[in-house]
Amino acid sequence: RRAAVVGVLLALIPHTAGIVWRMMIMGRPPMTNLFATFLFVAWIAVLLGLAIEWFQRNSLGTLLASVSGLGLLMVSARFGDQGDTMGVVVAVLDSNFWLSTHVVTITMGYAGCMAAGVAGHLYLLQAIRQAPDDPRLVASGRAVYGLMAFGLIFSFLGTMLGGVWADQSWGRFWGWDPKENGALLIVLWCSLLFHARIARMMGPIGFAAGAVLGVIVVLMAWIGINLLGVGLHSYGFTSGLARGLALSILFEVLFVVVTFPLAKRRANSHLEQA
């Protein structure tokens, strides 16, 4: 476990250095285009994983950190292969203040929801083999819940700050722009899961499945909007994304369709034995 933590920390050093160097070269906050958001979301996801490891000390956090960080950086590498990743910032983003408040906050919300989705994958896989009261499964459930709460809080704050920015830039707080709708969908999806969980309309398994499907909601708000080519927020690298996005959505749906019934069957079998 300690070796894994050290490995993640060693990988985090060049990751952090790269983000800082980009900021120094461009003279701007970490997010200036779609490529940079992948770097930053991966960085936040790694930090969230390390935070979970700090509190739980059961290797779950290092697994989440390594999987989330590696996966998102692999996606960012595709954008890096398409040319210059430090081009001139589009006019709508030409504000360091809002780049360092709204954009940072909303992408932290993305990171929380994506990390919760990764933890949700792990929970469903564990739930197929482990009893509902297994300490390892309970720890994974707490991780999903905490990461989703982090994602909801920052997604909500980022959406509100975006509304203030829109009011200053375009003279309206909300205009039903596709990107605004995407941010709202993330907030609504997370809120729906928490309300259903608190009202006991779903259990930990359902909440984990919802976190996995939440990855689709985030991907549509984060990447899918750019593919529409409409609205005031359609900017960034988009070449070749449609196929990857469709495959990702298909995988998440199939994962839930396969694992959710198996996990529920295992839980019901445990209750019958009890």
Side-chain angles (χ1 to χ4, degrees):
R1 187 186 71 83
R2 292 179 179 177
V5 172
V6 171
V8 172
L9 290 173
L10 289 176
L12 187 62
I13 293 174
H15 191 167
T16 305
I19 292 176
V20 172
W21 286 340
R22 285 179 61 88
M23 294 172 59
M24 294 174 63
I25 292 171
M26 300 193 69
R28 292 186 178 277
M31 276 80 60
T32 53
N33 53 39
L34 195 58
F35 169 80
T37 64
F38 277 96
L39 297 182
F40 186 75
V41 170
W43 187 73
I44 293 296
V46 171
L47 293 181
L48 290 174
L50 290 173
I52 291 175
E53 186 62 30
W54 174 267
F55 287 107
Q56 296 193 359
R57 301 180 184 275
N58 59 359
S59 298
L60 172 64
T62 51
L63 178 61
L64 294 178
S66 57
V67 171
S68 302
L70 177 62
L72 290 168
L73 287 179
M74 289 177 65
V75 175
S76 71
R78 290 195 57 190
F79 296 117
D81 293 338
Q82 296 178 14
D84 184 14
T85 62
M86 293 193 290
V88 178
V89 178
V90 295
V92 71
L93 293 178
D94 195 13
S95 170
N96 278 2
F97 174 76
W98 289 112
L99 279 174
S100 58
T101 53
H102 161 63
V103 180
V104 168
T105 306
I106 198 73
T107 48
M108 288 177 69
Y110 291 167
C113 293
M114 293 293 287
V118 175
H121 285 81
L122 179 61
Y123 183 93
L124 290 176
L125 291 174
Q126 288 180 285
I128 294 174
R129 301 185 58 184
Q130 298 170 1
D133 56 353
D134 189 293
R136 294 169 295 178
L137 188 61
V138 173
S140 297
R142 288 199 302 265
V144 177
Y145 197 89
L147 290 169
M148 185 64 74
F150 181 94
L152 172 59
I153 291 171
F154 281 92
S155 295
F156 176 78
L157 290 176
T159 302
M160 293 298 100
L161 289 171
V164 177
W165 188 5
D167 184 56
Q168 292 188 2
S169 299
W170 302 319
R172 89 292 188 278
F173 182 83
W174 192 266
W176 299 108
D177 183 84
K179 196 72 169 183
E180 297 170 349
N181 295 339
L184 178 62
L185 284 175
I186 295 176
V187 175
L188 291 178
W189 182 258
C190 295
S191 301
L192 175 66
L193 293 178
F194 276 107
H195 278 81
R197 184 75 178 91
I198 294 172
R200 300 185 183 278
M201 297 174 65
M202 67 166 56
I205 296 176
F207 193 84
V212 173
L213 295 178
V215 172
I216 299 176
V217 180
V218 174
L219 289 177
M220 291 302 298
W222 186 6
I223 302 172
I225 300 302
N226 293 60
L227 299 176
L228 297 177
V230 296
L232 297 170
H233 295 82
S234 183
Y235 50 81
F237 301 91
T238 59
S239 176
L241 281 181
R243 182 179 178 182
L245 181 61
L247 290 175
S248 299
I249 292 173
L250 179 61
F251 170 79
E252 300 297 356
V253 172
L254 290 177
F255 183 89
V256 172
V257 168
V258 172
T259 59
F260 180 77
L262 295 176
K264 289 291 292 183
R265 184 183 304 172
R266 178 70 176 86
N268 293 335
S269 174
H270 177 77
L271 290 176
E272 292 175 358
Q273 294 176 2

